[in-house]
Amino acid sequence: MASSSPPQPLLRGLPAAALLLLLLVLAPAADALACSSQNITNSTLYSTCLDLPTLSASLHFSYDRANSSAAVAFVAAPPKGEDGWVAWALNPTATGMFGAQALIAFRDAGVMTVKTYNITNTTVRESPISFETWDRAAEYKSADGTMRIYAKIKLPTGDPAKLNQVWQVGSSVTNGVPDQHAMAAENLGSKGTLDLVAGTGRSPAPAPTLVPTTAPTLAAPPPSGVSRIGEGSNGAFLVLSLAFLVSSFFGF
Ligand SMILES: *[C@@H]1O[C@H](CO)[C@@H](O)[C@H](O)[C@H]1NC(C)=O
Ligand SMILES: *[C@@H]1O[C@H](CO)[C@@H](O)[C@H](O)[C@H]1NC(C)=O
Ligand SMILES: *[C@@H]1O[C@H](CO)[C@@H](O)[C@H](O)[C@H]1NC(C)=O
Ligand SMILES: *[C@@H]1O[C@H](CO)[C@@H](O)[C@H](O)[C@H]1NC(C)=O
Ligand SMILES: *[C@@H]1O[C@H](CO)[C@@H](O)[C@H](O)[C@H]1NC(C)=O
């Protein structure tokens, strides 16, 4: 009676698995522009770099266990160059944008700056955030069109190996306020978990991790330990992300 159990779940999982393999094959080429080649200011501050799974973004970081703090350098390219913005955030209370304690970099009255935002809805306003930051700086590199956020942060209480991070890019800023970002799959899926601890003490950057942990919705993450790659909207998300990565890889 083994034939009575339908093979659908496996079959449904196969295309996503094949795409994941394809993505892993393409990854080294796509990453040639990211982590390793980025000319990060004060690069010795950061022991590890991760290429994030969407928006061609990277995070360089070091974790200071004694101080419960981290040095971070976030790198991404605003879609239309230097008039845009880039954002990186930890979210102590949820997995998406709402609740994110964000650092946003942009050119403000001609000067690259990085400001803090407690994001509660789609209208962002500069405000204090729930953890301390210092040594904040921002740069725009016209050579590769990237903006960088540099900061040291006192980590929120909780496990530094299981942080929720969120990142984003936008193409414009109006009167010192970052405008709404695009709503493409890669913009909605730009979030995941961050393990600062595994990154400490490693000099060579670890292999890029692929962690689109949640579907591009505000829904709760799947139960831990359960692989959902081939299922439902996570599968759709992977396919969309892949479509984006492939098209950007080939320069479409
Ligand atoms: C890296 O950036 C520094 C400071 O902006 C610059 O002096 C140096 O030439 C750059 N190096 C490369 C390889 O781009
Ligand atoms: C780099 O280090 C120097 C010296 O510590 C500091 O003044 C500068 O602000 C740092 N720049 C960045 C972008 O972190
Ligand atoms: C430890 O954290 C504090 C902020 O809480 C900071 O002022 C200080 O410079 C940090 N010390 C080191 C060694 O990083
Ligand atoms: C949206 O967030 C902004 C900035 O935090 C806040 O000033 C505003 O009151 C919020 N609006 C609503 C409708 O909650
Ligand atoms: C961020 O905004 C939320 C909602 O308005 C508020 O409860 C929280 O205290 C704010 N956090 C900080 C650090 O101001």
Side-chain angles (χ1 to χ4, degrees), residues 11-61:
L11 287 179
R12 238 183 351 171
L14 273 177
L19 289 172
L20 188 61
L21 273 177
L22 177 61
L23 184 53
L24 288 170
V25 167
L26 291 176
D31 289 338
L33 290 173
C35 273
S36 54
S37 66
Q38 285 159 357
N39 185 10
I40 291 294
T41 303
N42 299 339
S43 61
T44 54
L45 284 177
Y46 315 102
S47 61
T48 303
C49 178
L50 294 175
D51 287 316
L52 302 176
T54 68
L55 298 173
S56 302
S58 306
L59 185 72
H60 303 249
F61 63 89

Side-chain angles (χ1 to χ4, degrees), residues 97-116:
M97 161 181 168
F98 300 114
Q101 306 295 298
L103 300 171
I104 307 185
F106 55 92
R107 196 179 296 282
D108 190 24
V111 180
M112 282 305 300
T113 188
V114 52
K115 297 182 177 182
T116 59

Side-chain angles (χ1 to χ4, degrees), residues 97-218:
M97 161 181 168
F98 300 114
Q101 306 295 298
L103 300 171
I104 307 185
F106 55 92
R107 196 179 296 282
D108 190 24
V111 180
M112 282 305 300
T113 188
V114 52
K115 297 182 177 182
T116 59
Y117 297 79
N118 173 19
I119 298 183
T120 57
N121 58 50
T122 54
T123 308
V124 299
R125 185 166 303 166
E126 188 186 5
S127 58
I129 57 174
S130 63
F131 47 85
E132 186 190 354
T133 63
W134 67 101
D135 289 356
R136 299 196 314 244
E139 282 179 340
Y140 177 72
K141 293 268 188 195
S142 51
D144 62 1
T146 60
M147 263 180 200
R148 287 98 187 276
I149 295 171
Y150 300 95
K152 292 195 182 127
I153 62 177
K154 194 84 182 174
L155 290 166
T157 51
D159 188 348
K162 291 178 183 150
L163 297 164
N164 297 316
Q165 66 172 339
V166 189
W167 61 98
Q168 197 52 263
V169 299
S171 51
S172 61
V173 174
T174 304
N175 298 325
V177 180
D179 293 323
Q180 178 75 52
H181 58 79
M183 289 297 182
E186 69 270 20
N187 299 92
L188 299 177
S190 52
K191 56 193 174 181
T193 54
L194 173 63
D195 181 349
L196 287 177
V197 180
T200 53
R202 278 187 211 175
S203 359
T209 46
L210 263 175
V211 199
T213 49
T214 56
T217 66
L218 295 175

